[in-house]
Amino acid sequence: MIPTVEWRDGQVRILDQTALPGTVQFVDCVEYEAVVEAIRTLKVRGAPAIGVTAALGIALGAGQFQGTDPAAFQSWFIQVCDRLASTRPTAVNLFWAVERMKAVFAGEAGTPIAGIQARLREAAQAILEEDVRINHELGRHGAQMIRDGDHILTHCNAGALATAGYGTALGVVRAAWEDGKYIRVFADETRPVLQGARLTAWELQQDGIPVTLITDNMAGALMKQGKVHCCVVGADRIAANGDVANKIGTYSVAVLAKAHGIPFYVAAPASTIDMRTLTGEGIPIEERHPLEVTQVHGGPTIAPEGVEVWNPAFDVTPAKYITGIMTERGVFSPKDLAKHFG
Ligand code: MRU
């Protein structure tokens, strides 16, 4: 897979996911504000990828400081962190990464500015590499729940593109495929931004893993015909009680799965579990621009001029619909999160 995000020649290089699958192009960020813009405009998206990119953006921003005054450097650093943290509200991995970079900064008090800048670059790179390693571990645990011949329904893109590599939900798919299980993924197209059609279908096709694209409203009929054996989705934030925020439409899939007796799994790293948010009610849900709904991926307008639009980017699936949470530490019941991650 092409890296989602990486350090390259002192810059942050981001694969522009808004151009996929038609065009493979990159955004080379020389300044941290370009990273802020790339996250805001979904050039890079997916909870773990947002966290990793924010860490790289903070390191890039810290490196832009040219003065010699430690106090001025500290206020510059805080401003860079705040800008990155302001990009999107729902994925907790973003705030997790910002906190981690702040802790690195705090741990370097007294170090010359150039030393702190180098340390922040190393820390961001470590977060990136750790994400790939965690996804492999998560995939290995999650794949134990997948049987040979399973049809797996997924929603949105929780793949290599949504992480620094390998993916969470699609990491489970990849691990099952690498185990020699002959599986098939049904990818919901995921209106309005079409992450399923544009990204999940693309990356699975690249890897030669069987994938069938459906529109979101086909999932129920497919389940009724017995053609879905389990669902695996990613997460943007998991509350302490096991409620899960993920791409809008995930809740509908979970309810349908329950109605058809189909296991519904959430695959996410521990950094997505937010023990400070007690229930799904406390998860902030991003609302995005109406144009995402009144047009299909920037195409012609499909709705009457001036129509009111509601466009939440995420919804919350209550824990009672979730069979298990697949993490790098194992697969847990949503009810047991506090015991293992508290
Ligand atoms: O708006 P997006 O594309 O950032 O939303 C992404 C999702 O909802 C993913 O399912 C989630 O971040 C998990 S990615 C491993």
Side-chain angles (χ1 to χ4, degrees), residues 114-133:
I116 301 177
Q117 289 168 323
R119 196 49 211 99
L120 289 166
R121 273 195 301 277
E122 282 164 21
Q125 181 63 26
I127 289 174
L128 184 152
E129 287 167 19
E130 191 181 291
D131 184 60
V132 181
R133 183 174 48 72

Side-chain angles (χ1 to χ4, degrees), residues 51 55 58 77 81 93-107 119-120 122-131 133-134 271:
I58 289 169
F77 176 77
C81 289
N93 311 58
L94 169 64
F95 308 102
W96 171 89
V98 172
E99 287 311 313
R100 204 160 133 174
M101 294 299 279
K102 281 185 178 169
V104 171
F105 186 93
R119 196 49 211 99
L120 289 166
E122 282 164 21
Q125 181 63 26
I127 289 174
L128 184 152
E129 287 167 19
E130 191 181 291
D131 184 60
R133 183 174 48 72
I134 283 172
S271 55

Side-chain angles (χ1 to χ4, degrees), residues 45-48 88 156-158 162-163 168 195 234-236 246-247 314:
R45 32 64 52 199
R88 297 191 71 189
C156 193
N157 173 265
T163 63
T168 57
Q195 290 93 333
D236 287 85
N246 190 49
K247 180 52 55 196
F314 303 97

Side-chain angles (χ1 to χ4, degrees), residues 192-204:
V193 179
L194 306 175
Q195 290 93 333
R198 296 187 301 105
L199 308 176
T200 295
W202 182 75
E203 72 165 83
L204 290 175

